Amino acid sequence: MTELDRILRDLSQPGVPTEVATLLGCLALAFALCWALGRGAADDSIWFGRLVVDGLMFPALSLAVAYAAMKVLGHYQKVPVLHIAVPILVSLAGIRLLARVLSAAFPNSGWAKLAERLFSWLAWLATVLWILGVLPAVMEELDAINLVFGKTRISLLGVVQGTLSSGLVLVVALWISAVVEKRVLRDTVRDLSLRKIAVNATRAILLLVGLLFALSAVGVDLTALSVLGGALGVGLGLGLQKLAANYVSGFVILFERSLRIGDTVRVDN
């Protein structure tokens, strides 16, 4: 009997209506808590979103309540509906986290929307494999595929896990930078140009620290990055002088406030 046949058999059990009612109750409870907690939240809140249900809080609370209900109800009967609902809510929470953080950090960005769409497809694909019980077999196949970089051998599963870990750390770093911009810089730095400098510098530092933590977590030797840093320095010194100079000059102009964001500049009429 395949996993799909087992799921269909379990869904025909007499306890399924009880499960469905329990799941609906979990969703209603999560929505009520989100509505009560998010009434005074801003429209661009990462936790609550614009419509309460499109933020991170609703799928996170739904997941917590549904998982607790699955554990409690599982002592008395089979819970195939909740077993399907839990991975769906996990994927939904991950998608909501990525979408809300990217929209807060990079509003109206095309590549951010593309990254969100790509992650959504991958998350739902992993969810289907998880529900059908195929995900462990896929992970074993990925672990059997080895990639060789010089004297280093790494499995394709390790690459995927490292990419997901790095992405999670970078998303958290972007979340922190968005919170710092919204809660601290917006109130303390009135000048728009200086605020832009502080936002970009804070975001760059947090992304760099987050990337280093992510690389260290997946087992990358950070001492090897010194060679890359030296090569990058040589590249900046030889071929990218104008690009680096223009980038730094933009910060200098904003910092000196000779030109400010919002000014109109006329060249040759």
Side-chain angles (χ1 to χ4, degrees), residues 156-171:
L156 187 57
L157 178 61
V159 174
V160 174
Q161 291 176 339
T163 303
L164 292 177
S165 301
S166 303
L168 178 61
V169 172
L170 294 180
V171 166

Side-chain angles (χ1 to χ4, degrees), residues 18-32 62 65-66 69 82:
T18 303
E19 270 195 279
V20 173
T22 302
L23 178 59
L24 293 177
C26 293
L27 297 178
L29 177 60
F31 177 79
S62 300
V65 178
L82 292 174

